[in-house]
Amino acid sequence: MFRVIYQWQVPTDNMTAFRAVWQNTTDAIHASVDGALGSFMLQSAEQPEKVLTIAKWRSREDWLHFWGNSNPQSMQRMRELAKRISVETFEEIEDRTR
């Protein structure tokens, strides 16, 4: 498995809208892009405007095919509501969550 961590700066007054757009975007990508396995969202307890979205992909190749020019159209609305700070990729070694 392959994980991608996106860090966002989401203005507090945009959080509800960002969350709704992220849910729709994640569901649409999962349903239509080969290798996309969904995502989860974390919000910093200390810095409420700091949000991480962590996507799971079958492989790095699947994600690279989706990522293309690093500005996927399907993520446009998210970028209108928040500033994407960083994108970092990881090979998943082991997942022991339940």
Side-chain angles (χ1 to χ4, degrees):
M1 294 298 149
F2 188 73
R3 300 282 186 153
V4 182
I5 301 176
Y6 303 91
Q7 181 179 332
W8 302 88
Q9 182 179 353
V10 183
T12 306
D13 55 339
N14 286 357
M15 187 60 71
T16 300
F18 181 81
R19 184 175 175 190
V21 168
W22 169 82
Q23 289 170 342
N24 291 333
T25 301
T26 296
D27 292 348
I29 291 169
H30 187 213
S32 65
V33 179
D34 192 41
L37 302 175
S39 182
F40 65 93
M41 179 186 289
L42 303 172
Q43 183 179 28
S44 171
E46 290 79 27
Q47 300 171 30
E49 292 189 350
K50 181 178 180 179
V51 172
L52 302 178
T53 56
I54 303 172
K56 186 173 186 176
W57 289 84
R58 183 177 52 212
S59 70
R60 177 178 177 81
E61 293 74 23
D62 289 332
W63 176 73
L64 286 172
H65 181 69
F66 163 77
W67 193 239
N69 68 359
S70 78
N71 223 2
Q73 185 61 35
S74 57
M75 297 176 78
Q76 176 64 35
R77 182 70 177 122
M78 292 171 65
R79 292 189 308 273
E80 292 170 4
L81 293 168
K83 179 179 180 183
R84 189 174 63 205
I85 303 298
S86 64
V87 178
E88 195 169 0
T89 61
F90 296 86
E91 291 290 339
E92 184 178 301
I93 303 299
E94 184 175 357
D95 181 354
R96 295 185 54 82
T97 59
R98 302 201 192 267

